[in-house]
């Protein structure tokens, strides 16, 4: 990363003035406070998991609710919430979700060796909270995707420091709650980290198996939830899905053609992610962009695929902004964000049931933008550092790659 005065990255990594932090605290506080006042149960999606835990405490199957799409371990994890009164949940849940999002942003910054007191730290998080609609949606819903938003950059941060087994344990723990980050198993496969991959698979397998034995129907996830997911869920849920397989049929594309196109796009994205990893250039972009490519490729075809899934990858890419050649330095990254501007009404897409079309545009453009990074490494131009591994010191004693 260049930290010279003539480059934007130098300005971004310098210490931020304290008034900027007051603005960030005000934005996060207003969002969390509004959700705490407006949602008596801590958010619609969190309420589904809490109801499942209460059903188990009453001796019923949590999978009686077809919209409970989590692994058995999530039932036990939600039990403490099931024992709390609603007036506590309405404050605790949005605060916890916001804390996960803030923590994920902090880990993404440290992965890219950006100081936590920098301008990018405060301005980037403010932009996500105030200018990226899925951020507010996730806090309002209380969806457990927030744990994945924290775990992905944390796992990559550990991997960047050579602690691959610990990274596998972190990702595996979140997989035991919600299998959203399962595509990252391919990252461990690309890197040849077999022990870490085994840990990542063993943690959710053991947790799910042990938890399932405590449920009235131990195989409920396999016999009820998986068929529900594989058959495209129900008509109501499909209105909110952003994957190509869900959006294209709503535009008149035959179901088979839509699935074929989505699958082909997914495969192309996975190949691009593999090529990105194989480029083996120094610095943190290799990890972050490979991981983002894997997740976006699967989001193109996965059912379900919602707007708040974008929060798994967007902060990770945004944190790489100070690096020349990063995805966030390109115009298409920012164009992909336009449909997610809060408060902007689009003709014919006014209803919430049609926002999936906007989400699909963002998802598709982001996936293509990241996939383009699979090409050959750009040649070093005149005046560029000859040694790509040369490092420059930044405030706080940290070091950032200049390549």
């Amino acid at each position: 990363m260049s930290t010279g005065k003539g480059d934007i990255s130098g300005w971004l990594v310098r210490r931020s003035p304290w008034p900027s932090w007051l603005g960030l605290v005000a934005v996060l506080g207003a969002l969390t406070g509004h959700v705490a006042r407006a949602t008596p149960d801590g958010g619609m999606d969190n309420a589904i998991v809490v109801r499942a835990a209460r059903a188990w405490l009453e001796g019923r199957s949590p999978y009686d609710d077809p919209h409970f799409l989590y692994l058995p371990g999530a039932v036990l994890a939600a039990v403490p919430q099931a024992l709390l009164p609603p007036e506590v949940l309405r404050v605790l849940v949005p605060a916890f979700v916001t804390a996960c999002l803030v923590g994920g942003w902090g880990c993404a910054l440290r992965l890219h060796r950006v100081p936590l007191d920098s301008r990018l730290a405060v301005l980037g998080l403010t932009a996500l909270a105030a200018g990226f609609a899925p951020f507010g949606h996730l806090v309002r819903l209380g969806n457990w995707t927030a744990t994945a938003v924290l775990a992905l950059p944390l796992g990559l941060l550990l991997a960047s420091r050579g602690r691959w087994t610990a990274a596998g344990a972190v990702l595996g723990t979140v997989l035991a709650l919600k299998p959203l980050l399962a595509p990252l198993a391919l990252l461990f496969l690309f890197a040849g980290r077999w022990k870490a991959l085994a840990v990542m698979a063993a943690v959710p397998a053991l947790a799910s198996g042990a938890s399932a034995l405590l449920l009235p129907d131990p195989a409920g996830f396999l016999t009820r939830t998986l068929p529900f997911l594989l058959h495209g869920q129900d008509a109501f849920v499909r209105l909110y899905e952003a994957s190509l397989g869900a959006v294209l049929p709503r535009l008149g594309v035959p179901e088979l053609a839509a699935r074929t196109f989505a699958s082909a796009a997914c495969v192309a994205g996975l190949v691009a992610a593999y090529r990105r990893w194989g480029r083996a250039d120094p610095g943190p972009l290799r990890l972050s962009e490979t991981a983002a490519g894997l997740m976006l490729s699967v989001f193109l075809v996965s059912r379900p695929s919602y707007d708040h899934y974008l929060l798994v990858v967007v902060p990770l890419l945004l944190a790489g902004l100070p690096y020349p050649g990063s995805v966030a330095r390109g115009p298409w990254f920012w164009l992909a964000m336009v449909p997610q501007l809060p408060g902007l009404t689009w003709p014919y897409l006014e209803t919430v049931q049609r926002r999936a079309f906007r989400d699909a545009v963002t998802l598709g453009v982001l996936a293509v933008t990241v996939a383009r990074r699979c090409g050959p490494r750009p040649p070093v131009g005149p005046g560029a550092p000859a040694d790509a591994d040369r490092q420059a010191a930044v405030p706080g004693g940290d070091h950032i790659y200049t390549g």
Side-chain angles (χ1 to χ4, degrees):
M1 178 194 299
S2 172
T3 57
K5 293 183 179 179
D7 190 270
I8 184 63
S9 58
W11 185 85
L12 286 172
V13 300
R14 294 193 184 98
R15 188 186 300 273
S16 173
W18 65 267
S20 301
W21 293 99
L22 292 180
L24 174 60
V25 171
V27 169
L28 295 177
L31 174 60
T32 306
H34 170 72
V35 173
R37 292 187 60 198
T39 56
D41 53 4
M44 180 177 67
D45 289 359
N46 182 73
I48 293 174
V49 190
V50 173
R51 284 199 301 269
R54 288 174 179 157
W56 175 69
L57 290 174
E58 296 169 0
R60 296 180 287 111
S61 170
Y63 294 103
D64 288 342
D65 183 355
H67 293 144
F68 176 67
L69 308 178
Y70 295 77
L71 291 171
V75 178
L76 272 64
V79 167
Q81 286 194 63
L83 302 177
L84 293 175
E87 55 269 21
V88 174
L89 283 182
R90 69 187 305 164
V91 175
L92 182 63
V93 174
F96 176 77
V97 172
T98 302
C100 285
L101 299 180
V102 173
W105 174 243
C107 291
L109 291 172
R110 298 311 301 137
L111 169 66
H112 292 90
R113 297 141 171 124
V114 176
L116 294 179
D117 61 352
S118 64
R119 290 186 174 97
L120 179 59
V122 61
L123 296 178
L125 186 55
T126 303
L128 287 170
F132 189 58
F135 193 105
H137 295 167
L138 185 56
V139 177
R140 284 194 291 273
L141 291 171
N143 194 282
W144 286 27
T145 296
T147 59
V149 176
L150 172 60
L152 175 55
L154 175 57
L156 296 181
L157 177 61
L158 292 170
S160 72
R161 297 178 176 179
R163 301 175 61 187
W164 284 86
T165 303
V170 168
L171 297 175
T173 300
V174 173
L175 283 174
L177 302 177
K178 185 172 183 176
L180 184 65
L181 298 180
L184 288 183
L186 291 174
L187 177 62
F188 291 84
L189 185 64
F190 295 166
R193 301 288 179 167
W194 307 109
K195 180 181 177 181
L197 178 60
V199 171
M200 180 182 176
V203 171
L206 294 175
S208 297
S211 301
L213 294 177
L214 302 176
L215 303 183
D217 55 342
F221 181 82
L222 299 176
T223 60
R224 304 170 75 171
T225 301
L226 275 185
F228 181 74
L229 290 171
L230 294 175
H231 287 87
Q233 306 187 60
D234 54 30
F236 172 77
V237 174
R238 282 197 293 271
L239 294 175
Y240 301 93
E241 290 191 42
S243 66
L244 296 181
V247 169
L248 291 179
R250 296 177 65 184
L251 296 174
V253 178
E255 188 84 21
L256 179 60
R259 291 182 181 179
T260 302
F261 180 77
S263 299
C266 175
V267 171
L270 295 178
V271 171
Y274 176 71
R275 293 183 61 189
R276 178 67 184 92
W277 177 259
R279 220 167 66 195
D281 50 330
L285 293 183
R286 184 190 187 197
L287 272 171
S288 62
E289 292 178 356
T290 301
L294 291 172
M295 296 306 303
L296 288 168
S297 299
V298 175
F299 291 162
L300 289 173
V301 72
S302 67
R303 309 289 298 272
S305 184
Y306 301 126
D307 68 321
H308 50 79
Y309 287 9
L310 294 169
L311 274 169
V312 176
V313 294
V314 169
L316 192 63
L317 297 173
L318 181 61
L321 182 62
Y323 288 80
S326 66
V327 170
R329 285 286 187 102
W332 288 103
F333 173 83
W334 299 100
L335 286 173
M337 301 298 107
V338 172
Q340 303 303 326
L341 292 174
L344 185 60
T345 302
W346 296 82
Y348 306 105
L349 301 178
E350 294 90 350
T351 63
V352 67
Q353 291 82 6
R354 289 190 172 185
R355 74 156 293 118
F357 294 110
R358 289 186 280 156
D359 302 332
V361 170
T362 298
L363 174 59
V365 174
L366 268 184
V368 172
T369 302
V370 173
R372 291 184 61 191
R373 289 282 299 165
C374 73
R377 187 177 179 182
V380 178
D387 180 9
D389 291 325
R390 190 165 55 125
Q391 295 181 327
V394 297
D398 298 295
H399 292 78
I400 306 177
Y401 283 104
T402 59

